Amino acid sequence: MRANPQDSTPARQCANWRANWACHRHELQVADRRDASSRKTQQFVQKSLQEPAAPASGGAALPAVPEIDFGKFGDVEITQRSKLDKLTAANMHRSWLNVPHVTQSDEADITDLEALHDACVKPSGAS
């Protein structure tokens, strides 16, 4: 890096030194904060791993599904599902929870738009 001739004055050198020291102090403060944040994260993870796991609920803030006795409706047969059935069910469930189910209907008066369209488009029989 070339020395700037304007930086040769004692006042300029003093100002540069102060600016460099301020930047260095700021970098140290940022590094200290980064280290403290990392330590806090590690402590949180260690604490979370040591605590017993909470019982699983419905997930995604959904209420738990009540257990239903289907036997009151008639005979119940329990069968094993194929791997494809299990994967399909898991993927459909995930999609149902994650994909927003929204229907939006708006009404708009497009009478003026239709009139403009009719005025701009030549009738198909005309040349």
Side-chain angles (χ1 to χ4, degrees):
M1 185 169 138
R2 282 189 195 170
N4 190 344
Q6 294 178 346
D7 290 343
S8 61
T9 63
R12 179 69 76 179
Q13 289 173 351
C14 183
N16 287 342
W17 178 84
R18 286 185 184 143
N20 288 339
W21 174 246
C23 288
H24 179 68
R25 254 189 16 215
H26 176 71
E27 288 172 3
L28 290 176
Q29 290 171 351
V30 169
D32 287 344
R33 272 191 243 125
R34 210 176 291 132
D35 291 343
S37 175
S38 176
R39 281 192 304 274
K40 286 179 184 177
T41 303
Q42 289 175 354
Q43 289 170 354
F44 173 77
V45 170
Q46 290 297 327
K47 181 181 173 188
S48 298
L49 290 174
Q50 290 172 356
E51 293 176 357
S57 65
L62 298 174
V65 177
E67 194 65 36
I68 300 173
D69 178 23
F70 291 101
K72 65 182 179 183
F73 301 112
D75 292 337
V76 177
E77 179 184 354
I78 298 174
T79 59
Q80 292 294 322
R81 306 306 301 170
S82 70
K83 184 175 180 179
L84 180 62
D85 287 345
K86 291 177 185 177
L87 289 173
T88 301
N91 288 331
M92 288 177 67
H93 184 254
R94 185 183 66 236
S95 294
W96 179 259
L97 292 177
N98 292 319
V99 174
H101 302 282
V102 177
T103 302
Q104 178 178 348
S105 299
D106 290 333
E107 293 184 17
D109 182 14
I110 60 167
T111 308
D112 295 338
L113 183 61
E114 288 176 338
L116 178 63
H117 179 265
D118 292 341
C120 293
V121 175
K122 295 180 182 177
S124 60
S127 309

